[in-house]
Amino acid sequence: MDLGIGGRVALVTASSAGLGKAAAEALAAEGCKVVVSARGAERLERTARELGQSGAEVLAVPADIVDRTTPEHLVAAATERFGRLDIVVANAGGPPRLRALEADDEGVRGAVEANLLTSVRLVRAALPHMRAAGWGRICCITSYSVVLPIPTLALSNLARTGLWAWARTAAGDLAAEGAGITMNLVCPGPHATERALELGGSVDGLMGDPADFGKVVAFLCSEQARFVNGAAVVVDGGVSASPLGLGGR
Ligand code: NAD
């Protein structure tokens, strides 16, 4: 299926590795021009070169997405280089492991900054360009903790459900505007990224392929997904459907 986004300009944050990189690869494979960003310049340049090998036009902008000025800076860099911005995939590193009753103010603030406010700021910066073009796709990478709180990841549960509440509200407002802009969440379960493997890997032996995940993101950003708006698409192989473990023990 041709996703109908060839020539569109996509910004993917936190994309030098893992799920963000997989999303950037899938969008590049569909013919998008891609802006990638992450903190470490060297790794980012390597990723940009890999993406460019498929013939995609790629711009790499090193930046810490948690810095409050970064979202505007990235949107400005994308529009200066490519003249437009059609697709935003908002991603950031996850918060540290912590049980709910161990959370202090600083931890809560950090998670909200990284896993909620970064997306809100990116959307705020990108929307004027999407409105002007009458077309836009926003996809926030979160976690299956949106639908199944994970006891050892209380900060993730907190920030990502907050983002979900905001994004769903915003999606309704965008629908009312009729500007052709959609906003969805994509909620990964365990996937074989370096970080997930470091943290212990699979849940009940399940482990997704980041490349498959990237294709789901690309579909949500496609022309054909125009009627998918305000959704939280869970990509977890059924883990959240089996809260007592696969087999229901
Ligand atoms: P990861 O930690 O491997 O991050 C990948 C990318 O994020 C890298 O390019 C890294 O440089 C970049 N990054 C991290 N912090 C950044 C910052 N402050 N500014 C700019 N770039 C930054 O993560 P991943 O496994 O690819 O997961 C991506 C997101 O999905 C995370 O929020 C993670 O918590 C969430 N998630 C992942 C899984 C999984 O199994 N991989 C499952 C559920 C949720």
Side-chain angles (χ1 to χ4, degrees):
M1 176 168 65
D2 174 5
L3 296 187
I5 48 175
R8 295 279 185 194
V9 176
L11 164 63
V12 187
T13 62
S15 50
S16 65
L19 300 179
K21 180 182 177 189
E25 283 172 339
L27 289 164
E30 290 300 319
C32 290
K33 299 168 187 173
V34 183
V35 182
V36 287
S37 179
R39 277 177 303 198
E42 206 175 300
R43 178 103 196 236
L44 183 67
E45 280 303 332
R46 214 182 327 141
T47 295
R49 277 198 299 278
E50 279 174 45
L51 287 171
Q53 278 165 9
S54 66
E57 281 185 66
V58 184
L59 172 67
V61 186
D64 182 345
I65 191 60
V66 181
D67 182 327
R68 64 173 57 228
T69 62
T70 293
E72 274 198 39
H73 170 60
L74 292 177
V75 168
T79 53
E80 270 162 33
R81 169 68 183 269
F82 295 119
R84 55 188 298 135
L85 179 60
D86 305 296
I87 294 169
V88 170
V89 179
N91 185 36
R97 279 184 182 274
L98 203 74
R99 295 196 75 94
L101 300 179
E102 294 164 354
D104 59 13
D105 290 8
E106 199 186 332
V108 170
R109 271 194 213 103
V112 169
E113 280 279 335
N115 298 108
L116 196 166
L117 265 174
T118 49
S119 294
V120 174
R121 290 179 187 137
L122 272 167
V123 171
R124 206 162 52 216
L127 269 183
H129 301 279
M130 295 178 173
R131 284 187 174 121
W135 197 95
R137 298 286 182 267
I138 298 157
C139 186
C140 304
I141 297 180
T142 64
S143 166
Y144 72 116
S145 67
V146 166
V147 294
L148 179 70
I150 303 165
T152 54
L153 283 172
L155 295 177
S156 172
N157 304 338
L158 174 147
R160 298 185 197 282
T161 50
L163 177 61
W164 170 223
W166 177 80
R168 201 160 159 79
T169 318
D173 289 350
L174 289 171
E177 274 186 27
I181 303 168
T182 65
M183 171 148 28
N184 294 291
L185 255 56
V186 62
C187 310
H191 280 78
T193 64
E194 281 167 36
R195 175 99 181 115
L197 293 169
E198 265 172 37
L199 288 174
S202 71
V203 175
D204 274 2
L206 287 186
M207 195 62 139
D209 180 345
D212 291 344
F213 178 86
K215 288 173 192 157
V216 177
V217 173
F219 175 73
L220 288 172
C221 296
S222 73
E223 186 57 46
Q224 289 86 342
R226 67 180 78 88
F227 207 55
V228 183
N229 188 27
V233 176
V234 178
V235 185
D236 72 350
V239 169
S240 60
S242 315
L244 300 179
L246 300 183
R249 64 178 173 274

